[in-house]
Structures are given as C-alpha cells and as structure tokens.
Amino acid sequence: MYCSLFGHDFQISKKVTQHVREFKCTHCNAQMTTNGQGKLIPLTPKFQEINAVLEQINKKRLKRKSELGDFSI
Ligand SMILES: [Zn+2]
C-alpha cells in the first residue's frame, strides 16, 4: 500500500557486474534489476538466473585479472 502511494524506495541489494545491479525496495521487498541497456526491469526468476551467470563470469574474469597481475610482478 505504501509503495502504491509513494512509489518504491529501491536500494542496491547486489552488484552483479560493473553495469548490472539488483535493487530491493526497503518497504515491500519488490526486486528490480538493470538489464544490459541499463534499464530498470522487474527481477523475474529468469533474470535472477541470468544475473547469477553474469556474476559467475564476472568473478572469474576478476580472478583471472588478479592472477595475471600477480604473475607480472
Ligand atoms: Zn516497494
């Protein structure tokens, strides 16, 4: 009810990648995410899945980068 009157109050709940974030409303726990174009869209189970994959890819990439960094020292 609160949100339908005042709108959602989204806070970042997870940083998936540099560009993709997940948001959660502090009042009703509605979840949103940003897609590849940076648009805010509802976080459906499908997008939860996509974000989980993106997160894994992103973590691997970061890990590889740091490994390369260690290697060059
Ligand atoms: Zn809300």
Side-chain angles (χ1 to χ4, degrees), residues 49-66:
E49 218 171 278
I50 291 169
N51 283 356
V53 173
L54 280 176
E55 199 182 8
Q56 287 305 312
I57 293 169
N58 197 47
K59 269 184 192 162
K60 265 184 211 160
R61 198 188 294 153
L62 287 175
K63 190 161 177 279
R64 200 177 302 146
K65 208 185 267 177
S66 72

Side-chain angles (χ1 to χ4, degrees), residues 2 7 9 16 19-20 29 31-32 34-35 39 45 51 53 57 61-62 66 68-70:
Y2 182 92
D9 182 20
V16 180
H19 304 292
V20 179
N29 292 330
Q31 287 185 292
M32 302 287 278
T34 43
N35 67 8
K39 271 189 182 171
N51 283 356
V53 173
I57 293 169
R61 198 188 294 153
L62 287 175
S66 72
L68 283 174
D70 291 344

Side-chain angles (χ1 to χ4, degrees), residues 2-4 7-10 24-31:
Y2 182 92
C3 291
S4 61
H8 295 292
D9 182 20
F10 287 115
K24 193 183 251 183
C25 177
T26 54
H27 300 293
C28 71
N29 292 330
Q31 287 185 292

